[in-house]
Amino acid sequence: MTWQLASILPVWALAIIGSVVIGVFSTPGEYFTWVPIVFAAAILSAFAIQLAIRRKEGFVTRVMTSTGGALVVLVISTAIFAVAS
């Protein structure tokens, strides 16, 4: 696994774990309140991870891939929440 991929996957994992936690611990009326909070946490963690690497080559691409993947995960979970509620 390359270091670029290793810096992107934790953000996607955060989005997946956040979606599962939302589905398990919140009520159907609160699903759509917590999804943006998980996305905000994913964005902040993406910036924190990429800035901690301290490499400027490909920074925008890595942040875009991290947040874009988290967005796709949360869109899929939002669709599942909409069907479930």
Side-chain angles (χ1 to χ4, degrees):
M1 177 182 315
T2 65
W3 64 270
Q4 291 99 343
L5 187 59
S7 68
I8 293 169
L9 290 180
V11 179
W12 294 357
L14 173 72
I16 293 169
I17 292 168
S19 296
V20 170
V21 168
I22 290 170
V24 171
F25 292 112
S26 66
T27 62
E30 296 177 339
Y31 288 158
F32 306 112
T33 303
W34 287 104
V35 170
I37 294 171
V38 171
F39 187 56
I43 291 172
L44 292 174
S45 66
F47 275 106
I49 291 169
Q50 299 308 325
L51 289 173
I53 291 174
R54 300 179 71 174
R55 289 196 179 196
K56 59 183 175 180
E57 299 85 18
F59 173 79
V60 173
T61 304
R62 292 191 312 268
V63 170
M64 182 179 65
T65 306
S66 297
T67 57
L71 180 65
V72 169
V73 167
L74 291 172
V75 164
I76 292 169
S77 67
T78 300
I80 293 170
F81 295 151
V83 170
S85 58

